[in-house]
Amino acid sequence: MFSNFSDVETPGKKTALDAPIVVSRVDVALILIMAALAVYFFIYPLWRSRFLIEIWFTEGWNAYFQDVAASGGRIYPSASALIVNNYPPLSFYTIGLLGSVLGDNLFVGRALSLISLVVVSIEVFACARILAGGVIGPALGALWYAAIMSHNFTSYVGANDPQLAGEAIMGFGLAWLLRRHKAGGAPLGPLLVMIVGGFWKHNMIAIPLTAVVWLFARRGRQALASVAISILAAAVGLAACGVIFGADFFRNLLTERSYSLGHVLLNIGHLQWSAPAAVIWLSWVFNSRSLGAKFTSIHVPVALASCLLQWTGDAIFGNAEFDWIIALGIAIGVTCASIETSVVARYIGSTWTRAAVVALLVLRLIATDRQEPLLILMDPQFRRGFEAGEQSVRKEATQVAAINGDVYCDIKIVCRMAGKPFAVDDFKAGQMLATKRLSQSDLDALLASRRITTFKDNPIGMGAVSTSLAHAIRHARAP
């Protein structure tokens, strides 16, 4: 699997990408099944995005800093503030500007997230096609990516969070890099795109790291100049941020956080959803010497290591998996495109082996009690829960607006809607407690000294409704 990384593709050489596309009826059926599943799961985040609730606790946090960026204010607070911004600046200015033109940042950010999911799916298709050719395998990888993201990462898909848009920037850079590498072109442009992605969201490290390893493995010293210029560009960008935003930029970006292997154990169970894809890829990659096998044997392990490393930090959740899911989407794409090299294909043929792969992936996705699209269609109580959540947010915003002084809201969009400034950040307060810089009594005293009122919101304002299909069925049958 790991041999012969250094053989460079000859520019203009005919590859599987140039071969005529032959699609069987079974393959068409497999694509339609996976497409139907992707659309089915996408219904929920798309439908939910119209409600004025806080889908994920970073939504209001992002909206506040987007507001500040659009107004020309200070987006990196001082050390004495009880709020922190440990994200790079590009997403705040971009979404803040779009919000000032198109409407509320909250909903602009949600729309961008939904669009970005589609864009990343296209990029997964493009990467797999460049590496392995054909359309069946790349399409299955891209549609699996869209389905699993829409179903298992609903806290981010369709939420005002910059991660998916950042992944779209990184994915464009990766697809461009693979295309230029195949054509024998210079990789500098794609690498600079990845640098831009890093200034949009800073924890997307698997794609640029894989790109650098891949370039050195395939081109050796020829890649040195482009990589060096890219590193210099990143350093210049950081220096520019230091000049524009001052020392607070670095202080915020390097905010103290609690780290522990225990945090990994709390999150690692979520990998069960993507585990079948990883096992399918592993069962194929050891028997293949294809370009796709060589690339994914770098990309997949790097993405997994990145995910696990990030999970050592406290308050890091599903977005640490995003690079891993992209890597597996590409891996499934190249696996299905070159499935004839698998051991199973020797006995039942390529088409039926692909069918078995799709069956396993689909089974894992649907084998769950969480079926929100069905609940939207069949359960009025489920729909009313989101309507009630929006009503709760509006009612509480009126109550908070009547409170004198600053207010600490559990649901940030409530305080924002009430016209209150961003006074207390759950993350900074939580990490001050986790790292033992403050005790709970110290934090309470600090809030009191700054005359910050704590307002306890109704969790329904965060869409806290049951997503259990079994629960809905039992409720419908109850007399």
Side-chain angles (χ1 to χ4, degrees):
M1 177 177 68
F2 297 98
S3 62
N4 298 325
F5 276 118
S6 59
D7 55 314
V8 182
E9 293 76 41
T10 303
K13 179 182 177 181
K14 294 289 184 181
T15 67
L17 189 59
D18 309 297
I21 298 172
V22 179
V23 181
S24 71
R25 291 181 180 179
V26 174
D27 286 330
V28 171
L30 296 178
I31 290 178
L32 291 176
I33 290 170
M34 194 64 82
L37 198 64
V39 171
Y40 169 75
F41 286 128
F42 188 68
I43 289 172
Y44 172 57
L46 178 64
W47 174 83
R48 183 195 55 186
S49 65
R50 64 193 177 95
F51 290 101
L52 183 60
I53 59 172
E54 193 166 82
I55 294 170
W56 187 236
F57 66 87
T58 61
E59 278 208 301
W61 183 93
N62 278 293
Y64 263 121
F65 284 116
Q66 290 156 3
D67 292 339
V68 173
S71 66
R74 180 179 182 178
I75 67 169
Y76 292 101
S78 65
S80 61
L82 290 177
I83 60 174
V84 67
N85 177 6
N86 59 342
Y87 285 10
L90 282 186
S91 70
F92 302 113
Y93 287 99
T94 303
I95 299 175
L97 177 61
L98 289 173
S100 65
V101 175
L102 301 175
D104 190 349
N105 302 331
L106 184 73
F107 294 99
V108 171
R110 289 177 180 181
L112 184 60
S113 172
L114 292 167
I115 293 168
S116 295
L117 177 68
V118 176
V119 171
V120 177
S121 300
I122 295 170
E123 291 163 351
V124 168
F125 174 89
C127 290
R129 177 155 165 74
I130 293 167
L131 289 167
V135 296
I136 302 301
L140 291 174
L143 292 169
W144 173 82
Y145 169 82
I148 192 171
M149 288 294 297
S150 297
H151 183 43
N152 293 102
F153 296 91
T154 52
S155 296
Y156 297 93
V157 176
N160 181 29
D161 183 272
Q163 186 82 27
L164 270 172
E167 298 288 0
I169 297 171
M170 286 289 183
F172 174 75
L174 180 60
W176 189 16
L177 176 78
L178 293 174
R179 169 59 75 178
R180 287 188 66 83
H181 178 68
K182 179 177 181 291
L188 180 58
L191 291 176
L192 292 178
V193 169
M194 295 178 193
I195 297 298
V196 173
F199 281 94
W200 184 279
K201 188 70 163 60
H202 60 301
N203 67 332
M204 303 176 295
I205 58 179
I207 288 178
L209 183 56
T210 298
V212 170
V213 173
W214 177 250
L215 286 172
F216 278 122
R218 305 292 288 182
R219 294 192 173 184
R221 294 181 180 179
Q222 295 177 16
L224 186 59
S226 294
V227 172
I229 293 172
S230 301
I231 293 173
L232 179 61
V236 169
L238 289 170
C241 287
V243 171
I244 296 169
F245 304 114
D248 284 331
F249 168 75
F250 298 102
R251 187 179 297 113
N252 277 261
L253 208 63
L254 300 173
T255 297
E256 187 177 9
R257 185 191 297 264
S258 171
Y259 290 90
S260 168
L261 289 177
H263 300 145
V264 179
L265 298 178
L266 290 174
N267 286 291
I268 201 167
H270 200 260
L271 294 180
Q272 63 174 297
W273 298 101
S274 56
V279 171
I280 289 166
W281 169 75
L282 274 174
S283 69
W284 165 82
V285 73
F286 285 104
N287 296 303
S288 177
R289 292 181 174 272
S290 68
L291 188 67
K294 293 171 182 177
F295 178 81
T296 55
S297 65
I298 299 173
H299 191 195
V300 172
V302 167
L304 179 59
S306 167
C307 173
L308 297 177
L309 180 63
Q310 289 182 60
W311 272 344
T312 61
D314 189 21
I316 295 177
F317 304 101
N319 59 343
E321 286 184 70
F322 284 14
D323 280 351
W324 162 249
I325 301 299
I326 289 174
L328 286 180
I330 296 172
I332 286 296
V334 299
T335 298
C336 289
S338 306
I339 201 73
E340 67 276 358
T341 60
S342 74
V343 175
V344 177
R346 298 174 191 172
Y347 297 96
I348 64 174
S350 300
T351 299
W352 291 109
T353 304
R354 267 193 297 271
V357 166
V358 171
L360 289 172
L361 295 176
V362 168
L363 181 62
R364 186 63 196 97
L365 286 172
I366 64 174
T368 172
D369 188 38
R370 282 186 51 237
Q371 300 291 339
E372 295 94 339
L374 275 181
L375 294 176
I376 293 171
L377 294 173
M378 63 175 283
D379 187 6
Q381 184 177 357
F382 181 78
R383 298 192 298 271
R384 286 195 297 267
F386 287 87
E387 294 166 0
E390 182 170 312
Q391 293 169 4
S392 176
V393 166
R394 295 185 184 277
K395 178 182 177 181
E396 290 181 347
T398 302
Q399 295 171 352
V400 169
I403 298 174
N404 292 325
D406 292 342
V407 180
Y408 172 20
C409 292
D410 296 326
I411 300 176
K412 299 295 173 285
I413 64 170
V414 169
C415 272
R416 178 173 176 262
M417 190 176 179
K420 296 295 183 180
F422 193 14
V424 184
D425 182 353
D426 291 324
F427 172 72
K428 183 166 185 178
Q431 293 310 305
M432 291 170 78
L433 296 173
T435 57
K436 302 190 184 306
R437 288 176 56 195
L438 289 179
S439 65
Q440 184 61 56
S441 60
D442 292 334
L443 179 60
D444 293 340
L446 184 59
L447 294 177
S449 68
R450 298 190 182 188
R451 298 181 179 179
I452 299 174
T453 303
T454 299
F455 184 87
K456 292 297 182 182
D457 298 279
N458 187 336
I460 198 172
M462 293 189 72
V465 297
S466 173
T467 59
S468 167
L469 180 61
H471 177 270
I473 293 172
R474 287 195 300 270
H475 182 269
R477 290 177 175 175

